Amino acid sequence: MKKFFSYLMYTSLLVFAMNFTSCQDEFEELPQGNDQEAIAASSATAKLVERTSSNDGSYDNIVDGSSCIAIQFPYTVEVAGIQLTIDSIADLRLIEEIFDSIDGDEDFLEILFPITITLPDFTERVINNKEDLRNLAADCIEGGDDDDIECIDFVYPVKLFTFSANLQQTGSVVVNSDLELRRFFKGLDDNDLVSFDFPISLALYDGTEITVNSNMELANAIENAKDACDEDDDNDYNDDDFNKERLDEFLVSCPFLVHEVKRNGIDQTDQYFEYVMNFKENGSVIVRNRLGVALEGTWSTRVGENRVLLKLEFDVLVDFTLEWFVYEIEEGRIKLYSGDGNKIIMKKACDIVNNTPDTLREILKECSWVIKKVKNNGEEIDRLLGYKFSFGANAEVTLSNGVNTSNGTWAITTNAQGQLVMAITMGDEPGVSFEWLLRDLANKRLKFEIEDTAYELILERHCNDNNEDGDVMEIRNYLMGGAWKIASYTIGEGDNTSAQYAEFDFFFSSNNVARISVNADPIVDNGLWRIIRDSEGKLKCYLNYGEGNNFITFSDDWDIVAASSTRLELKSVSGDGTIETLVFEK
C-alpha cells in the first residue's frame, strides 16, 4: 500500500556520506578518469537498492497477514460464509466491507488453496495449505517489520554496468522495473562489482523526484527517505493505521451512542443501550443514561504492543472501567475489546446529540419530505408510501398524496440525553403521530428510529418537486402520455406475469394521481405515483395503489432501470436479496 504521508519532514537528502569500510572500500573509483563508482553486490548500498526494489506484499494483509508476501490474482476466499473471487486489489475492499458490517471481534476468512504467492525477491511459490502460509507469514511481525522500502522508488529505465575484480567493465544491462532490478541483484555473487549509469532519478513518496549522481548520493537518498512516510504495513489491516493523535481527535469530535456492551462474557447491552458518551479534551468523559443522569469519569490513550489503547475509569460504571484495545474507528463507529469476553461498540452521533433544535427545524422547513418508510408500533404502513410532508413555520404540518391532505402540528425538542426528537400530532393520520427520535441527519435524507424497537420513519428531501432535474421531468412526461400496460412482472427467478393484468390500463395523471381502469371503468382512481431523484442520486418511481385491491404488490419505491416514451423498466431488491422487476409498455 504505497504511499501515505507521515508527519516527518523530509530533509537534506544529499549529505556527506559515512565511511563504509570492510576488507575493501565499498566505493571504488573507476580508472581512466571515469567518475563512476563500483559497489560490491554484498555492500550496504547494494542492500538498500535491493530493499527499495523488493516486492511490496502489504496491500493484501487483510488476507494473508504478512507484508512479506503477496497472493497472485485470481484466488478465492470465503468471508463470513460468502465466497468471493479476488481478481484485483480493488476486490480486497469487498472483504473489509463485509468485516465492517459485522459488529463482532471475529473476522472469519478462509482461503481456498492452492494459491501462488510472490516473495520480496519476486520468487513465486505454490502454497497448498493454511499451515504453510502461516509459517511464511510468521516471518513478518506486526507493525511492518518487512525489509522493503516504499517511501522512495527508482524511475525507470535504469542502466547498470558490471565489472571484473580488476575493475574492467564486463557488461551492461537496462532494467525497466523493480522486478528486473531485484532479479539482477539476486543473480550476482557477493564479490561482483556493479555500478549505475549516473545520473539517475528517484521518486519520493510525495510525488516529487530527485536526481543523484553517485553511489554515495544514492545510498544517502535511500537512507534518509526510508522512514519518511507511513508504509501502511500493519498486518492488523483493520486498525486503518490510526495513531494516538488521530484516536484522540476522533473521540472528542462527536458524542457517541453505546450500541453494544459485553463484560466478562456476559451481554450487558440491554442495560447500557443508547447511553450517550461525551469525551472532553481535558481528559474527562461524561456518560448520560436514558433518563439523562450524568455519570463522570476520565479517559486517556497510549500506544502499547503495536496498538492504541483507551483507558476508561468511572466510580459507578464498573463495566466500562478497563483499558481497552481500540480495534476500529471507521464507518462512524468505534470498537473496543479487552480479552475474549469484553467488548464495547459505539456509534458516532454528531448531528443527533447536543445539536440545537433549530438546525433540524430549518432543514424540515426548507423543502417537502417524501415518506420512504414508516413503521409504527410494529406495523409497516405501506398505504403512506410516497406521501409528502410539508412543515410550516407556525408548527403546522400537512401530509398529502396529491389529492387528500391531513393537517397536524409538529415540534422539535430534545430528550433527557440531548437527542433531537420530532413530535408529530395528526388526528386524521395516527400512523405518523409519534415522538420520532432522530437517528440520521443527512443533507437529503432523514431517519427517525428507536433502534431494536417497532418505530421507524425515513424521509427523502423533495425540493421544488424536482422540477430542475431534466431526467425527472422527461420520465414524468413519458408516463403522463397515455395508457400503459404491464408487459412483465417477475419475482426472483419466477415470472409472475399473468393474463389477468392484460385487460388493465394504467394511467399516471397530474397531481401525482395513479389510476387503473378496464374499458374506461375505474378500478383504482386514488393511487399515487412520483418520479424523484433520491438522496443517493438514483431515479425512483414511487407507486402506491392503496389497500383493499389486488395491486398492492406493485406498491414500492422502484429503481428506474430504463425509461422511454413506450417502455418503463423498474426494479426492486428486497432485504433478503430477492429481485422484483416490473415493466410497463404502451
Side-chain angles (χ1 to χ4, degrees):
M1 300 178 184
K2 299 184 178 181
K3 307 271 190 305
F4 290 86
F5 294 118
S6 71
Y7 293 103
L8 301 175
M9 293 293 294
Y10 183 75
T11 58
S12 186
L13 285 174
L14 304 178
V15 297
F16 290 106
M18 297 176 63
N19 293 322
F20 298 103
T21 58
S22 59
C23 295
Q24 62 176 7
D25 290 340
E26 180 186 347
F27 301 102
E28 300 183 37
E29 292 188 4
L30 297 179
Q32 301 173 350
N34 192 330
D35 56 1
Q36 298 284 4
E37 299 167 332
I39 57 173
S42 59
S43 66
T45 300
K47 297 304 179 187
L48 286 172
V49 171
E50 289 185 18
R51 291 175 61 190
T52 304
S53 58
S54 292
N55 183 51
D56 174 30
S58 64
Y59 63 85
D60 62 356
N61 286 354
I62 191 171
V63 177
D64 58 33
S66 172
S67 298
C68 300
I69 59 179
I71 304 176
Q72 293 186 9
F73 305 116
Y75 58 92
T76 303
V77 296
E78 188 172 287
V79 187
I82 301 171
Q83 196 168 104
L84 300 175
T85 298
I86 307 300
D87 291 308
S88 65
I89 292 177
D91 290 340
L92 297 171
R93 181 63 185 173
L94 299 174
I95 300 174
E96 185 161 359
E97 287 175 357
I98 294 174
F99 284 170
D100 287 340
S101 69
I102 302 171
D103 283 343
D105 53 354
E106 294 292 340
D107 295 331
F108 297 103
L109 182 146
E110 292 291 337
I111 301 172
L112 274 62
F113 293 93
I115 58 174
T116 301
I117 65 167
T118 303
L119 298 175
D121 62 359
F122 294 93
T123 300
E124 297 179 359
R125 186 181 300 180
V126 175
I127 304 297
N128 293 300
N129 55 64
K130 183 189 299 184
E131 190 62 31
D132 289 347
L133 181 64
R134 191 173 292 161
N135 290 336
L136 276 173
D139 293 337
C140 286
I141 67 169
E142 168 69 18
D145 233 6
D146 56 342
D147 285 336
D148 73 312
I149 296 173
E150 301 172 42
C151 299
I152 189 168
D153 288 313
F154 287 94
V155 177
Y156 296 99
V158 171
K159 187 175 183 179
L160 298 100
F161 302 103
T162 58
F163 299 90
S164 63
N166 60 359
L167 300 180
Q168 295 297 311
Q169 183 176 325
T170 58
S172 66
V173 63
V174 175
V175 296
N176 295 285
S177 65
D178 283 346
L179 183 151
E180 293 180 9
L181 181 59
R182 188 68 164 82
R183 287 184 173 174
F184 170 76
F185 271 86
K186 183 181 179 182
L188 299 174
D189 293 330
D190 287 349
N191 294 324
D192 286 346
L193 299 176
V194 297
S195 179
F196 287 89
D197 184 11
F198 293 103
I200 62 173
S201 297
L202 296 156
L204 300 178
Y205 61 91
D206 61 1
T208 60
E209 290 189 6
I210 60 171
T211 300
V212 295
N213 296 285
S214 67
N215 287 307
M216 182 183 298
E217 292 182 4
L218 174 63
N220 280 282
I222 297 175
E223 189 69 39
N224 281 279
K226 68 179 183 181
D227 296 321
C229 71
D230 177 9
E231 294 187 348
D232 197 28
D233 276 347
D234 290 355
N235 296 340
D236 184 6
Y237 72 94
N238 210 23
D239 63 6
D240 293 293
D241 297 300
F242 63 86
N243 53 22
K244 179 182 183 300
E245 289 72 24
R246 185 182 168 203
L247 174 61
D248 291 347
E249 182 180 344
F250 183 82
L251 289 171
V252 300
S253 64
C254 290
F256 290 84
L257 287 173
V258 176
H259 186 72
E260 186 175 346
V261 178
K262 182 187 290 185
R263 188 64 195 267
N264 298 326
I266 300 173
D267 191 344
Q268 302 282 6
T269 301
D270 288 344
Q271 180 177 352
Y272 299 111
F273 186 71
E274 294 285 302
Y275 275 35
V276 175
M277 186 173 287
N278 274 285
F279 294 87
K280 304 297 183 180
E281 292 184 357
N282 63 4
S284 66
V285 56
I286 299 173
V287 177
R288 291 188 181 275
N289 63 19
R290 288 185 291 271
L291 298 177
V293 177
L295 307 168
E296 188 167 349
T298 61
W299 69 278
S300 61
T301 58
R302 70 179 181 90
V303 178
E305 299 179 355
N306 296 307
R307 57 180 60 184
V308 185
L309 302 168
L310 169 64
K311 187 175 185 180
L312 297 176
E313 293 184 290
F314 294 92
D315 291 333
V316 177
L317 292 173
V318 294
D319 289 331
F320 288 70
T321 300
L322 201 62
E323 188 166 49
W324 302 88
F325 160 46
V326 183
Y327 178 70
E328 181 182 326
I329 63 171
E330 290 297 326
E331 310 300 330
R333 62 184 170 185
I334 183 169
K335 292 183 178 182
L336 311 176
Y337 296 98
S338 181
D340 293 332
N342 301 294
K343 171 173 64 175
I344 297 176
I345 297 176
M346 298 184 292
K347 295 188 176 181
K348 262 190 169 184
C350 301
D351 296 318
I352 63 178
V353 175
N354 295 342
N355 203 343
T356 63
D358 284 343
T359 301
L360 182 56
R361 286 192 192 106
E362 294 306 313
I363 290 174
L364 287 168
K365 289 188 295 184
E366 283 177 357
C367 296
S368 299
W369 295 85
V370 173
I371 293 179
K372 178 181 175 66
K373 180 180 181 181
V374 59
K375 185 168 66 173
N376 193 323
N377 197 27
E379 178 190 1
E380 190 158 341
I381 308 175
D382 295 327
R383 60 182 171 77
L384 295 179
L385 176 69
Y387 275 54
K388 184 170 66 176
F389 276 114
S390 294
F391 295 91
N394 298 315
E396 298 173 351
V397 59
T398 61
L399 180 64
S400 175
N401 65 353
V403 177
N404 302 314
T405 300
S406 297
N407 297 280
T409 61
W410 68 288
I412 303 299
T413 61
T414 58
N415 66 6
Q417 294 174 297
Q419 298 183 67
L420 292 174
V421 175
M422 178 178 69
I424 294 178
T425 302
M426 189 169 288
D428 292 345
E429 186 44 76
V432 297
S433 295
F434 190 65
E435 293 187 356
W436 299 98
L437 184 67
L438 181 64
R439 177 63 55 197
D440 183 23
L441 190 156
N443 186 37
K444 296 182 179 181
R445 180 179 180 271
L446 297 173
K447 182 177 181 179
F448 302 86
E449 181 187 30
I450 302 177
E451 282 199 43
D452 298 329
T453 67
Y455 296 89
E456 183 179 7
L457 176 64
I458 300 176
L459 304 178
E460 290 278 348
R461 185 184 177 104
H462 192 58
C463 296
N464 300 321
D465 204 29
N466 285 156
N467 288 336
E468 298 177 357
D469 191 314
D471 294 331
V472 169
M473 297 303 295
E474 184 175 37
I475 297 171
R476 285 177 184 165
N477 289 333
Y478 290 155
L479 290 179
M480 295 172 66
W484 294 77
K485 296 282 190 180
I486 289 182
S488 71
Y489 174 55
T490 63
I491 303 177
E493 299 297 325
D495 188 347
N496 288 268
T497 306
S498 173
Q500 66 175 325
Y501 298 133
E503 62 179 334
F504 295 104
D505 294 315
F506 292 78
F507 294 90
F508 304 95
S509 305
S510 59
N511 296 322
N512 302 109
V513 177
R515 298 184 293 110
I516 304 173
S517 64
V518 176
N519 297 324
D521 293 328
I523 305 299
V524 175
D525 59 4
N526 59 351
L528 177 149
W529 70 283
R530 291 189 193 278
I531 303 297
I532 69 171
R533 192 180 295 275
D534 72 3
S535 56
E536 297 178 352
K538 295 180 180 179
L539 286 168
K540 289 280 193 176
C541 177
Y542 279 71
L543 296 179
N544 183 350
Y545 289 108
E547 298 176 321
N549 59 61
N550 295 326
F551 302 96
I552 191 172
T553 186
F554 299 143
S555 295
D556 205 342
D557 58 325
W558 298 87
D559 292 332
I560 298 176
V561 178
S564 71
S565 60
T566 57
R567 179 181 171 88
L568 177 68
E569 184 177 346
L570 308 175
K571 181 179 75 171
S572 177
V573 182
S574 64
D576 62 3
T578 302
I579 298 176
E580 292 183 61
T581 63
L582 177 62
V583 178
F584 290 97
E585 290 183 350
K586 280 191 175 179

